[in-house]
Amino acid sequence: VVTDKMETIRLYNWSQINSNGFIPSTFVAPFYATNSSTNTGLLYYGTITITNAPVTEAYADALRLVTVQVSWTSLGQERQRTMSTLVSQYGMQNYIYYK
């Protein structure tokens, strides 16, 4: 789920990443995607946060820190994973080829 959300982030352009509400800040994803209409079974609860990058270099305004966090319960234990990446205004999303 975390990787899926990060791969989706790669496809957004700079305006979309910086638009309030374009990327939902919370989500629920089922373990089995084919079961998504009923939301039964194991569910992942996630958040996506987009903030200014923690850098002081001159290009800081052209970077955003994206963090995806998911949590779920398995065998009575709360589990959690987090992944963060930097997105650049001049990054690879500018080179996506559309037919």
Side-chain angles (χ1 to χ4, degrees):
V1 173
V2 174
T3 304
D4 179 57
K5 294 297 180 182
M6 281 298 188
E7 288 298 313
T8 303
I9 295 290
R10 279 186 338 109
L11 300 175
Y12 295 140
N13 64 41
W14 187 247
S15 295
Q16 292 168 327
I17 288 173
N18 288 290
S19 295
N20 278 340
F22 183 82
I23 300 171
S25 60
T26 62
F27 62 91
V28 177
F31 179 73
Y32 291 111
T34 58
N35 199 18
S36 62
S37 63
T38 60
N39 277 347
T40 59
L42 180 64
L43 296 175
Y44 295 102
Y45 297 90
T47 60
I48 300 174
T49 56
I50 301 171
T51 59
N52 292 331
V55 297
T56 57
E57 285 75 15
Y59 51 82
D61 287 342
L63 288 176
R64 295 294 178 266
L65 176 64
V66 178
T67 303
V68 177
Q69 182 175 357
V70 296
S71 62
W72 68 99
T73 302
S74 175
L75 298 173
Q77 286 276 33
E78 179 76 17
R79 311 286 182 177
Q80 184 175 355
R81 295 292 181 268
T82 302
M83 183 183 288
S84 296
T85 190
L86 292 171
V87 176
S88 171
Q89 180 178 2
Y90 307 106
M92 62 192 282
Q93 75 275 9
N94 294 320
Y95 301 101
I96 294 176
Y97 175 75
Y98 295 100
K99 287 187 176 185

